[in-house]
Amino acid sequence: MIEIKGLAKKFVVENVKKLSEQEKQDPRLKGRFFHSVEDVSFHCEQGQVLGLLGPNGAGKTTTLRMLSTAIKPTAGSVSINGVDILAEPLVARRKIGFLSGSTGLYGRLTGRENIEYFGRLHGVSEAELKQRINELADLLDMHSFLDRRSESFSTGMKQKTSIARAVIHQPEVVILDEPTTGLDIMATQTVLDFIRRLKTQGTPVIFSTHHLDEVDELCDKVTVIDKGRTCFDGSLLDFKGLSSGSMHESFLTTIKGAE
């Protein structure tokens, strides 16, 4: 289980005058600090998939980057199966598989070499690494391009390789930042099927998305963030119950209620 309580992150604004008018009107701008995340709390149990929703700029990516230990929170706590990952970030990185929306592959390495590199960083043995890559190539339909240089990959190939790289060490929690963005229908289905498999294995999965149909199809829980704060955290059934069952209406209702 992963549990997040009162997570917050503020950034120094070097020059307030250079901000756009929209940014200046954001209530999270307070003096020389922009509070990207002010108060975010949720949890995800074993075998659950949690959909993290929110408008652009709501603080979703900042939240996920804090969970991955890529950036340090200003306040709050994060624990995985009782371990305080903020106090022990090196331990945390062994427990978490994180797919960022911006982390690229090493273009001159093949898909296999990219995955192997990260597996070795996590201390995966050579024998286990070979077996694990073959399993992931089967699950993510990667055999046709696995040994090509990744600089020639399509968007779907890159995303599948990035996902394999994120889970090569068999993490206790998987965090995916918009994993299907830019993918075609077939590649999207492969990624969604992979998330389902993680769920059947009992692995908690947190993923952010703008595709509400994916949330409806996959998720047990929904957390909505707006302006850096949690404005809904509950079951998918409760979320759909905010409206007549429409995911879009429920989302809009949540955001309007937080204003």
Side-chain angles (χ1 to χ4, degrees):
M1 181 184 87
I2 180 168
E3 186 171 20
I4 295 92
K5 292 183 179 178
L7 210 58
K9 179 63 180 178
K10 65 180 181 181
F11 297 93
V12 175
V13 178
E14 296 296 338
N15 191 338
V16 176
K17 293 181 180 179
K18 289 187 177 180
L19 297 177
S20 67
E21 285 304 314
Q22 183 178 0
E23 290 169 328
K24 290 177 182 178
Q25 296 300 317
D26 194 309
R28 290 175 290 174
L29 179 63
K30 300 171 184 176
R32 292 186 60 248
F33 292 97
F34 183 76
H35 297 252
S36 178
V37 175
E38 292 196 298
D39 186 5
V40 167
S41 300
F42 58 86
H43 70 278
C44 187
E45 304 280 351
Q46 301 301 115
Q48 285 188 333
V49 178
L50 181 147
L52 187 63
L53 305 177
N56 288 332
K60 301 188 302 297
T61 294
T62 301
T63 296
L64 296 184
R65 291 184 68 199
M66 286 190 281
L67 300 189
S68 75
T69 74
I71 58 176
K72 189 175 181 179
T74 305
S77 65
V78 181
S79 64
I80 296 177
N81 296 327
V83 176
D84 182 347
I85 68 169
L86 302 182
E88 302 182 68
L90 293 181
V91 174
R93 288 165 198 162
R94 292 197 292 269
K95 293 179 176 291
I96 294 172
F98 178 57
L99 173 71
S100 166
S102 58
T103 304
L105 301 172
Y106 295 106
R108 298 187 68 181
L109 299 183
T110 65
R112 185 186 302 275
E113 289 167 342
N114 269 283
I115 301 166
E116 285 175 340
Y117 176 65
F118 276 78
R120 292 182 183 119
L121 287 178
H122 283 293
V124 181
S125 69
E126 292 301 314
E128 186 180 1
L129 194 56
K130 183 176 180 180
Q131 177 185 345
R132 186 83 179 119
I133 289 174
N134 283 334
E135 289 174 356
L136 289 168
D138 287 340
L139 293 171
L140 291 167
D141 191 21
M142 297 173 60
H143 286 291
S144 63
F145 60 86
L146 189 60
D147 292 301
R148 286 167 44 190
R149 278 191 178 187
S150 60
E151 62 190 1
S152 66
F153 283 1
S154 67
T155 300
M157 293 172 184
K158 289 177 181 177
Q159 195 72 326
K160 289 179 181 181
T161 305
S162 295
I163 291 172
R165 183 178 67 176
V167 300
I168 187 63
H169 58 301
Q170 295 183 298
E172 295 177 30
V173 176
V174 174
I175 300 170
L176 307 171
D177 191 3
E178 300 189 10
T180 61
T181 297
L183 303 189
D184 62 25
I185 293 173
M186 297 304 294
T188 295
Q189 194 58 51
T190 300
V191 171
L192 297 183
D193 287 343
F194 184 72
I195 294 173
R196 286 191 189 90
R197 183 177 176 84
L198 289 172
K199 178 178 178 176
T200 62
Q201 293 173 341
T203 304
V205 179
I206 298 170
F207 79 100
S208 68
T209 182
H210 291 291
H211 302 293
L212 296 179
D213 56 327
E214 294 177 359
V215 176
D216 195 12
E217 185 178 341
L218 285 177
C219 292
D220 305 284
K221 289 195 65 182
V222 175
T223 298
V224 182
I225 298 175
D226 187 33
K227 294 183 173 63
R229 293 179 175 272
T230 302
C231 53
F232 179 87
D233 179 43
S235 70
L236 176 65
L237 189 61
D238 287 342
F239 181 69
K240 295 173 76 171
L242 295 174
S243 66
S244 58
S246 163
M247 295 290 289
H248 286 84
E249 286 298 322
S250 293
F251 178 74
L252 293 174
T253 297
T254 303
I255 299 301
K256 289 175 182 176
E259 291 177 351

